[in-house]
Amino acid sequence: MTERRDRRDILKAAAVAGALGLAGCVGGDDDGGENGSENGGENGGEAGGEINLGLVMGVTGDLENLGPPIRDGAQAVAEQINDADSDWTVSTQFEDTETTPQTGVDGAQAVVDAGNPMFVGALASTVSLDIADAVTLEEGVVQMSPASTAVNYSTLDEDLDTTFTWRTTPSDAFQGPVAANIALDRLGVESVSTVARDDAYGRGLANAFVDAFEEGGGTVQSEVLIDPSRESFTADLQTALGNDPDMLYVVAFPGEGQFLFRDFYESFNRPELPILVSDGLQDAALPGDAGQDIETFSNVAGTGPGISDDVASGLDAYQERVDDGIFVRESYDAAAVLSLARAAAGSDDAAEIAGSIRDVTSGGGTEVTAGNLVEGIETAGRGEAVEYQGVSRPLEFDENGDVSTPVYEYFDWTTDDQGEPALNTIDIVVDD
């Protein structure tokens, strides 16, 4: 699926429909930015221009529930810029990965072939990894994922002079230990079994959890990998529960998660067994999709991307445009950072854009938030220093293009004022 939007398309749609609806869903310097242009000062110098931005995300397939709002978060940045009285505009090209690697690769290639030097995406780690190998690093374009947490995403371009792969969500190298600490310290369990997708995301996060849990003195009884394309997991659960663990740790997406929890509640009489899940299952609809009510689901909690206390600036402007949700803020931040970096670079050269990313996020200068994003782009375009404050967390990128400020939410499920399923924040955990 290809969707191209520029300013004229958006204004035409607004005139016809009355409002733009957000549809669907995740060369330069030797070090890719640490010694790059001085906050865009050596580049920039544009009074205005067109920012060409790809959006490569899965809004169908295993992430059909989570993907559409994430895409909306990135598209909101384009709308914000295009709606303003500015000489800067954004043209976006959307490609649905269908949450499958090959479709993702084809979509990313289409974005690059159309002349886009950068894109936000993908969402599923397996898709992002394949895109990076087949397209991003081959073509020398900038990829910034708002949702891919796989540990090995960090080292994709470690042998290159320029960092082309970035992400605005923390690595599972942090999430695994956070979940393990919750299991040991808050839930007080001594033994666990893990059930995880048999892909880069599932294996990587489960391994990070296991290592931290065992290091903390816990015992891991079974490590079960599942085929996410199946719709029955009774046998897998039987293996995981065979040695009577104190807890299950589940790494999955809603697509297979609904069937896994359906089988758990229908086939096993363990209603009080604690189950801790990963961010991939941070979906308010999960209990209902599994055929369960909130009370039955009360033994399930999870970890997912949290919101730092340091992001109050600009939140009102962000929330006026976006319906919040998992990885939505990260998606907005990714699109905002890339737009600022493009303005600061002063060209569509991907290496120069990559070299400007750290400049516009942690190089000092005029503070930019969601509230004054357009003014920030204009300032960066004039070659002046800016520093973007994210709506998800402070965006300080390390040498791998990873955010170095991991914040997690410890959550469970509840009902809202209308009696509908909702996510409930138990606590915010900052990994030190």
Side-chain angles (χ1 to χ4, degrees), residues 41-393:
E42 293 180 10
N43 297 314
E46 289 184 295
E50 183 175 60
I51 298 169
N52 295 300
L53 178 66
L55 306 177
V56 183
M57 304 181 184
V59 299
T60 57
D62 288 345
L63 293 179
E64 63 180 351
N65 288 346
L66 301 180
I70 300 173
R71 183 188 120 155
D72 291 354
Q75 187 64 52
V77 170
E79 293 186 3
Q80 185 174 351
I81 298 168
N82 289 333
D83 288 347
D85 182 15
S86 173
D87 290 328
W88 285 94
T89 62
V90 180
S91 176
T92 62
Q93 178 175 335
F94 170 68
E95 298 288 339
D96 180 10
T97 71
E98 301 175 4
T99 323
T100 61
Q102 188 56 57
T103 304
V105 167
D106 293 342
Q109 191 64 59
V111 162
V112 174
D113 290 345
N116 295 281
M118 57 191 185
F119 62 89
V120 179
L123 305 185
S125 291
T126 300
V127 179
S128 287
L129 292 169
D130 278 19
I131 288 174
D133 285 337
V135 180
T136 303
L137 302 182
E138 289 291 325
E139 299 282 357
V141 295
V142 180
Q143 170 180 344
M144 185 171 287
S145 173
S148 296
T149 57
V151 175
N152 53 338
Y153 189 89
S154 299
T155 57
L156 287 168
D157 45 16
E158 62 182 352
D159 296 328
L160 301 179
D161 291 336
T162 300
T163 302
F164 286 112
T165 56
W166 306 72
R167 55 182 163 186
T168 50
T169 192
S171 165
D172 284 333
F174 297 108
Q175 184 177 186
V178 165
N181 289 337
I182 289 173
L184 291 164
D185 300 337
R186 303 198 186 204
L187 300 179
V189 303
E190 298 179 354
S191 64
V192 302
S193 287
T194 64
V195 179
R197 292 172 61 95
D198 190 7
D199 64 8
Y201 167 62
R203 293 188 300 269
L205 179 49
N207 289 341
F209 172 85
V210 165
D211 289 347
F213 189 78
E214 290 181 332
E215 185 177 343
T219 300
V220 178
Q221 294 184 340
S222 299
E223 298 177 55
V224 180
L225 294 175
I226 59 172
D227 177 357
S229 67
R230 288 169 32 211
E231 296 185 1
S232 176
F233 299 100
T234 302
D236 304 290
L237 287 166
Q238 183 66 57
T239 300
L241 296 169
N243 292 319
D244 196 25
D246 295 337
M247 189 193 87
L248 286 183
Y249 182 60
V250 178
V251 184
F253 289 159
E256 70 273 10
Q258 61 182 319
F259 301 117
L260 190 149
F261 279 100
R262 176 204 63 192
D263 292 347
F264 173 80
Y265 289 111
E266 290 182 356
S267 302
F268 301 91
N269 186 25
R270 302 290 301 274
E272 296 182 0
L273 178 72
I275 300 178
L276 192 63
V277 303
S278 65
D279 53 359
L281 290 172
Q282 195 172 358
D283 180 9
L286 181 61
D289 290 344
Q292 310 302 318
D293 56 33
I294 295 298
E295 183 177 356
T296 301
F297 220 69
S298 62
N299 63 316
V300 184
T303 58
I307 305 304
S308 169
D309 292 335
D310 302 326
V311 297
S313 297
L315 273 185
D316 289 345
Y318 160 82
Q319 291 170 340
E320 286 175 2
R321 290 183 170 273
V322 182
D323 290 331
D324 217 351
I326 180 174
F327 297 122
V328 176
R329 295 191 187 199
E330 287 82 355
S331 187
Y332 181 96
D333 280 342
V337 168
L338 290 179
S339 297
L340 285 162
R342 161 61 183 86
S347 78
D348 274 337
D349 183 275
E352 292 185 4
I353 293 170
S356 297
I357 289 175
R358 292 189 185 92
D359 294 334
V360 301
T361 54
S362 55
T366 300
E367 180 176 296
V368 178
T369 70
N372 67 337
L373 177 61
V374 178
E375 291 85 349
I377 289 171
E378 293 172 339
T379 301
R382 291 193 298 267
E384 300 174 25
V386 299
E387 183 170 301
Y388 176 69
Q389 305 296 315
V391 295
S392 61
R393 57 184 54 81

